[in-house]
Amino acid sequence: DGGITQSPKYLFRKEGQNVTLSCEQNLNHDAMYWYRQDPGQGLRLIYYSQIVNDFQKGDIAEGYSVSREKKESFPLTVTSAQKNPTAFYLCASTLQGPGNTIYFGEGSWLTVV
Amino acid sequence: AQKITQTQPGMFVQEKEAVTLDCTYDTSDPSYGLFWYKQPSSGEMIFLIYQGSYDQQNATEGRYSLNFQKARKSANLVISASQLGDSAMYFCAMRHDTGRRALTFGSGTRLQVQP
């Protein structure tokens, strides 16, 4: 089946640890995105990538890092520098060009313990 | 800067009735797209409908329609014949066709459909 796969679905992190969230898509999409959602709120952009080997910071990039070595993969690392990482993380992708639908993965819940 | 405003934190509607969810936006860019997504309690984001800034007609997708008033910068979602399964969070979002081209989201509206 085609789509966007995020893993793990649930993740617990100890304070001071880095964790990496996986996002893989087999839709041949050019652009990929990472969003963070806190309870009862909208989505905020962390990082985005419009082509392989290139990515830009979004609105809340501090404490996060990404890579885009392959077109189908856009992993997000939540570093120990992120002071409040407990949230729901959503990955998305789309084809370039106006009017293209942006599709989302099922999300990953990260909890700091 | 682009901004999306959803002024209704929560809405109730009776089953089989129509409901309108409000969305206003702010941008100086002439080329953009407006999206609505549904987020059930499971967390997934489900695409509902899209409206381009140059589209002359309002978009429709089954029971969903978008009331696009460009001069007023509003893009309200209309759900006809509400069903119990429509209970969810609904998000309005905008994406410019040039530059960053990432979605900017509103704060959402929680819709509850009552039997």
Side-chain angles (χ1 to χ4, degrees):
Chain A
D1 286 347
I4 303 170
T5 302
Q6 289 188 240
S7 62
K9 179 73 171 178
Y10 299 96
L11 184 60
F12 296 89
R13 187 195 94 169
K14 294 182 179 180
E15 288 199 24
Q17 283 185 338
N18 292 354
V19 294
T20 297
L21 307 180
S22 171
C23 178
E24 303 277 333
Q25 53 96 2
N26 60 5
L27 302 167
N28 199 33
H29 285 173
D30 308 294
M32 298 186 73
Y33 311 85
W34 274 105
Y35 287 88
R36 169 181 170 142
Q37 186 179 28
D38 293 285
Q41 298 186 27
L43 282 67
R44 293 183 290 167
L45 182 67
I46 306 172
Y47 267 98
Y48 64 104
S49 168
Q50 296 182 352
I51 56 172
V52 176
N53 293 322
D54 188 46
F55 50 83
Q56 284 78 40
K57 294 181 178 180
D59 301 317
I60 55 166
E62 185 176 354
Y64 300 97
S65 66
V66 294
S67 63
R68 186 84 187 278
E69 296 176 0
K70 298 185 296 183
K71 188 176 185 178
E72 59 269 25
S73 179
F74 192 40
L76 174 74
T77 297
V78 184
T79 75
S80 57
Q82 171 50 238
K83 297 306 178 188
N84 185 22
T86 296
F88 187 51
Y89 292 86
L90 285 153
C91 178
S93 71
T94 187
L95 292 169
Q96 293 287 27
N100 287 300
T101 301
I102 299 171
Y103 295 97
F104 284 81
E106 295 185 344
S108 294
W109 293 90
L110 173 62
T111 303
V112 174
V113 296
Chain B
Q2 48 187 306
K3 184 178 179 182
I4 302 290
T5 302
Q6 295 181 255
T7 58
Q8 306 153 313
M11 291 278 288
F12 289 90
V13 65
Q14 291 293 122
E15 196 177 6
K16 300 180 184 178
E17 292 186 350
V19 63
T20 297
L21 306 184
D22 295 341
C23 173
T24 58
Y25 59 93
D26 187 23
T27 181
S28 56
D29 196 307
S31 184
Y32 53 88
L34 296 156
F35 299 75
W36 277 92
Y37 286 86
K38 172 184 178 181
Q39 187 179 43
S41 57
S42 59
E44 61 187 307
M45 295 289 284
I46 301 169
F47 167 74
L48 295 178
I49 196 166
Y50 164 84
Q51 179 85 42
S53 59
Y54 294 114
D55 293 344
Q56 296 296 313
Q57 292 188 324
N58 287 343
T60 60
E61 290 285 350
R63 294 186 299 111
Y64 305 107
S65 60
L66 202 153
N67 184 1
F68 180 47
Q69 298 187 45
K70 192 171 182 178
R72 297 179 61 184
K73 294 187 177 179
S74 74
N76 299 339
L77 177 70
V78 180
I79 305 174
S80 62
S82 296
Q83 302 172 355
L84 295 177
D86 293 335
S87 294
M89 283 290 288
Y90 288 81
F91 290 97
C92 179
M94 177 173 66
R95 182 179 67 166
H96 288 149
D97 294 335
T98 58
R100 190 163 90 162
R101 287 179 281 176
L103 287 169
T104 298
F105 284 85
S107 56
T109 297
R110 180 170 297 281
L111 177 66
Q112 295 188 54
V113 181
Q114 297 176 321

